[in-house]
Structure formats: structure tokens, C-alpha cells
Amino acid sequence: MADQSTGNRHSRTGSLTRRRFVQATGVAGMASIAGCYGDSGSDAVVISGNQNLAQNLDVQAFYDAGVSEEIDIEITAGPEDTDSRSEAFVSTLDAEQSSPDIMMMDNGWTIPFISRGDIVNLEAEMDSSFIEEVKSDSFDMLVQTASNPETGDMWALPFFPDYPTMQYRKDLFRDAGYTDSDFDTWATDPPSWEEWSAAVAEVHANSDVDYGYVWQADSYAGLACCSFSELMSTYGGAYFGGTDTLFGPVGDRPVTVEDEAVIESINVARDMVYGDGESSQDITQCAPEEVFGWSEPDTDGAFVGDSNAVAMRNWTYTIGMAEGDEQFTDGEELGVMPMPYGRAESEVDAEGLGGTVAAQGGWLLGVNPHTNDMAETLEVLRAVHSEEVQAAVLDGPGFLPHQPDLVESLAGDHPAFGDYSETLAIAGDSAVSRPVTPVWPQQSQQVHQEVNDAFQGNKTPSEAMGDLSTSLSELEDL
């Protein structure tokens, strides 16, 4: 997903000297064409992040974590769009430019950089005890998307995760007879899609808002990587067999989109919109047909901006939006829970699937092999795993820690996330990545086109998944 920011910010650390913090607040000073950074001419260790990071991360935290005060740290803002960022890094690395030294990389496309050997193998450059500490402390899926799928070596450092939750209007649920007991239960033990669809439909019928459950089901990359992938996973479905084959080997893994669980998840989505009873479960109509043409900005506007929906599936940044000073000010009350489950984990065979599942988003940090000072660069990178830096990343830009235990302990004091820290830790632990490989960009396009066609009835689910199986298999064999 594209970079997002969350609501109110506050900082724990003090003012910075110019020597310590050379910070770019936009893309000024960089090439205007995505794909060409150019060397900065600076002796600092340069971290290429996004605008939010460049403007709001207090790098005093790096020094508090033990980075030598002789090392200057510069944060620059690269392209905001994730695809443009990837293209920029390809150009930078192909040209063997020394800057940026550290690159903020989408977990959805880092593995191809690793497979090509474009970034530094951290296990070859950093001590094994630190590497093992990072692997054991961090969200597992972030570590997997930072690692070579063939060797297991970690080539990038987890930076911050992102994943969706189910957000809902407690005030509307209260009006329909639901209580704090229900909300407290859902915060750690979400209902099934059967139960949730019925509850949302009941609340919607009792309210004056236009929409029930809003989510993102347009034919775009987010449908393939995220909203459909997680819905399918809650039923035990997968594109390529299960979690053990997410990252390959390409051409030597099963294509499983015609499996019953995948067809069922399409029928569940259709039942939530049309209520025709196509799935084997008792799914209640609760979502508008518009969702089949909606992405994140549309749902943000309906649920947060206009306060005109009962519930929404969305990323963590919308929690900050809803908790902001100018949002939800007329008695609206936000509830947050992990995503509903399709089938209990014990009822499905696919490895690591079933139960509540969230799509894994988030960002990693890769090291430029052409850096002018590898030792200083790695010293700065090492500090990212400290509590001091993770706290600063949370308090400034508003990104969650990459360590599950710190999500609860640090986010518990955060103005936007504090009430939901336990829920966020559970949701993060349930996250499953998209099947990232060098061929996934082409496969993703095929997935979202066929799934959206099936959603809208342009094809039957069986027809769409049969066509998808053929195209995915052909791409696997290229």
C-alpha cells in the first residue's frame, strides 16, 4: 500500500542540533523524475524515507540508542508512491550511486531486490546474535519478507508493520442493543463473518447512515495483495497452496485458486453485497455494491470523513484519522477489532491459514552496497531495532513498532492507538503476506481483474478462477 500517516503526533525527545539532524521535508534537492536520486554530496548517513518520516522522525533517538555522535544522520523524502519508490531504488542501485545509504522498502517488493542481490546481505555484515535477536523479536511475516526465500538469510531490517483491522461505530451498535461486553470480547476474539455480517446489517437497519460495511474491492493492486487475499485466507484459501509457498519457488508450487475455499470466499463477498445466498454459510447482506469500485480513499470518506457507515475494513492510519481532534466529534465512538474469521483454523487444512487474518503491509530497511561508509551505515541501522528508535517512529510519524511486545507497551500510551494496543498486537500477529516473487506484479494484475469480474457477476466464480488458474500457471512457467 502507499505510505500513510496517522492522526495526532507528539514527541518524547528534545530539540536537535543542525549537526545531528539534516532533514529534507520534501523531494526538493532530488531529481524530479522518479528513479533518479543522485548522490547527496553529504558525509551523513542518508536514510531515504517518505515525507512523513522526513518531517516528523526525531533522530535524537538514534543517539539515545547508542549511535556515535560523530555520525550525522540525514533523512530525505523519496517518492510517496510505492511503485515510484521501487523504480527510483532500481535506478540508484543500477547506477551504483552511494546515496541513499539506507532505503525504506515496501515489504511487498523487497524480495525481488534480495533475489537479484541488489542490497546488502545483513547476515554477512552484522553479528549473528543481533540478527537472531531481530528475527525472534519482530513480527514473523515482516522478517520473512525481509529474507532470502531460498537461504533464509535476512537481507533487510524490519522497520514498521501495517495491517488492517475492522473499525466500527460503537455508538451505532449501542443504539441497537450491543454493550461494552460485546466490544471487549471482539477486541481480542473477533466474530465470524456470519456473525459480523448479521450484526452490521442489524445495526445498519437501526441507524440513519447510508452504508453498512465498507471495504476495498475495486479492480486494483490492493484487492489482490490485501482485501481479497485476507478474506480468502480466513477460509483457508491461498493462491499458491499456503504460507510455506508464499515466496516460491516460482514454477514449483501449486496454483490453488480453484479450490473450494477460494470459491467460497468470493461467494461470501458477493453475499455481503447482494444477499443471494451463494456461499455455504449464512452471510447477511451488509455492504453496498459501490465497494466493488472502491479503494481506500472512498472508504475513508464514507466511514471517517462523512461518518456515514457502520463499519470499515482499513489500515491503521484510519484509526488516527478517526481519533483526530476534528474527526468523530459528534458523539461517534470508534471500535477496533481484528478481522472476522471465515473458518476456525482447526477446520482448514492450508498451513497457517484460517481464523482471523490480516493482510501484511509495512516497510523494511535495506542497505545500499555502494555506501561510502558501511560501518557507520550499519551502526545507524542497528539502532532501528532499539526501543528508543521504535518509540520515536511511533511518536513522530505514527508508525507502529516492528516488535509485537512493543506494540502493546509503547502504543498503549499513544493518543491514537492507546485504546487498541492489544487488538493491534493480535492483528499484527495474524498478518499474512502477499506471495511476493519477481512475477507477482504480473500475477497481481491477473488476480484483481478476475476476482473483481467474479464479484460483479461478469463471470461466475468458477469461470473466473479457472481463467485465473491458467494465467497464473503460465506466469509461473515463464
Side-chain angles (χ1 to χ4, degrees):
M1 62 168 292
D3 296 333
Q4 302 285 2
S5 61
T6 55
N8 297 335
R9 312 289 178 218
H10 67 283
S11 176
R12 296 178 176 174
T13 49
S15 61
L16 304 179
T17 65
R18 173 68 181 171
R19 185 187 64 77
R20 285 185 174 178
F21 191 12
V22 184
Q23 189 169 44
T25 59
V27 293
M30 302 172 65
S32 61
I33 300 174
C36 183
Y37 281 102
D39 288 340
S40 69
S42 170
D43 291 331
V45 172
V46 177
I47 302 171
S48 174
N50 65 350
Q51 206 165 69
N52 184 10
L53 196 77
Q55 290 174 337
N56 296 307
L57 177 58
D58 186 342
V59 296
Q60 175 62 41
F62 285 85
Y63 303 103
D64 294 342
V67 172
S68 169
E69 296 195 3
E70 300 303 312
I71 300 175
D72 289 334
I73 300 170
E74 179 179 349
I75 301 181
T76 61
E80 293 295 297
D81 175 72
T82 182
D83 292 334
S84 298
R85 182 185 300 275
S86 175
E87 293 167 5
F89 290 153
V90 168
S91 296
T92 295
L93 295 169
D94 283 351
E96 298 187 0
Q97 294 171 353
S98 62
S99 182
D101 304 273
I102 298 173
M103 300 169 288
M104 192 174 92
M105 311 180 78
D106 193 322
N107 87 117
W109 44 251
T110 303
I111 284 179
F113 282 79
I114 294 171
S115 298
R116 294 190 300 262
D118 287 345
I119 57 178
V120 171
N121 180 354
L122 299 183
E123 297 212 20
E125 299 291 340
M126 306 182 82
D127 61 89
S128 59
S129 62
F130 174 73
I131 294 294
E132 291 307 311
E133 176 185 326
V134 172
K135 287 182 176 181
S136 63
D137 289 350
S138 306
F139 281 113
D140 179 63
M141 271 291 164
L142 273 186
V143 172
Q144 289 193 46
T145 55
S147 301
N148 187 310
E150 295 183 4
T151 67
D153 285 357
M154 194 175 74
W155 285 58
L157 192 78
F159 190 23
F160 62 87
D162 201 5
Y163 39 81
T165 56
M166 181 66 72
Q167 298 162 37
Y168 63 95
R169 291 271 303 274
K170 283 185 178 181
D171 54 301
L172 299 182
F173 275 83
R174 290 187 198 281
D175 291 344
Y178 291 84
T179 68
D180 286 340
S181 176
D182 299 303
F183 309 147
D184 290 344
T185 298
W186 294 342
T188 56
D189 186 16
S192 68
W193 281 112
E194 285 184 296
E195 296 165 331
W196 184 244
S197 64
V200 171
E202 177 189 5
V203 172
H204 186 208
N206 191 64
S207 71
D208 61 356
V209 299
D210 288 338
Y211 303 117
Y213 170 48
V214 295
W215 56 295
Q216 305 83 35
D218 194 10
S219 181
Y220 78 122
L223 179 64
C225 76
C226 305
S227 55
F228 178 67
S229 181
E230 73 191 10
L231 177 64
M232 171 182 67
S233 297
T234 70
Y235 285 91
Y239 298 123
F240 301 105
T243 56
D244 57 335
T245 48
L246 274 175
F247 312 121
V250 175
D252 191 26
R253 55 183 176 169
V255 175
T256 52
V257 293
E258 294 183 274
D259 285 4
E260 179 183 349
V262 181
I263 301 296
E264 174 74 352
S265 61
I266 294 174
N267 286 329
V268 166
R270 286 181 52 79
D271 281 351
M272 284 194 285
V273 170
Y274 299 119
D276 291 337
E278 296 179 20
S279 71
S280 66
Q281 295 186 315
D282 188 12
I283 302 295
T284 307
Q285 183 179 9
C286 62
E289 189 172 3
E290 287 95 325
V291 298
F292 293 153
W294 277 5
S295 60
E296 283 83 356
D298 304 295
T299 55
D300 298 351
F303 181 75
V304 181
D306 294 334
S307 301
N308 197 28
V310 173
M312 173 181 68
R313 173 246 181 237
N314 219 330
W315 304 90
T316 55
Y317 74 92
T318 52
I319 296 174
M321 289 173 61
E323 291 287 357
D325 291 340
E326 298 179 359
Q327 303 291 350
F328 274 46
T329 56
D330 296 323
E332 297 91 339
E333 186 180 0
L334 184 68
V336 180
M337 69 181 188
M339 295 301 294
Y341 69 89
R343 300 197 189 282
E345 291 179 62
S346 60
E347 295 177 357
V348 298
D349 295 328
E351 181 180 348
L353 301 175
T356 178
V357 176
Q360 177 69 67
W363 295 80
L364 313 167
L365 295 176
V367 171
N368 183 347
H370 311 297
T371 176
N372 286 329
D373 196 320
M374 183 64 72
E376 288 192 354
T377 296
L378 293 177
E379 184 174 342
V380 171
L381 185 73
R382 178 186 289 269
V384 171
H385 190 61
S386 68
E387 182 170 342
E388 292 88 347
V389 172
Q390 290 184 71
V393 170
L394 175 65
D395 291 347
F399 301 137
L400 291 169
H402 60 262
Q403 295 182 229
D405 60 332
L406 294 183
V407 170
E408 289 200 59
S409 62
L410 294 179
D413 295 327
H414 191 270
F417 299 135
D419 291 338
Y420 318 111
S421 58
E422 188 175 8
T423 294
L424 291 169
I426 292 170
D429 195 49
S430 75
V432 174
S433 171
R434 70 207 76 177
V436 185
T437 64
V439 298
W440 173 244
Q442 298 126 291
Q443 291 175 330
S444 170
Q445 184 175 23
Q446 296 299 314
V447 169
H448 67 71
Q449 288 174 347
E450 296 291 352
V451 170
N452 187 264
D453 274 346
F455 281 170
Q456 299 198 65
N458 299 328
K459 295 182 179 181
T460 68
S462 294
E463 289 171 341
M465 293 303 97
D467 292 344
L468 180 59
S469 179
T470 298
S471 60
L472 293 181
S473 297
E474 289 174 349
L475 289 167
E476 287 282 293
D477 293 336
L478 289 179

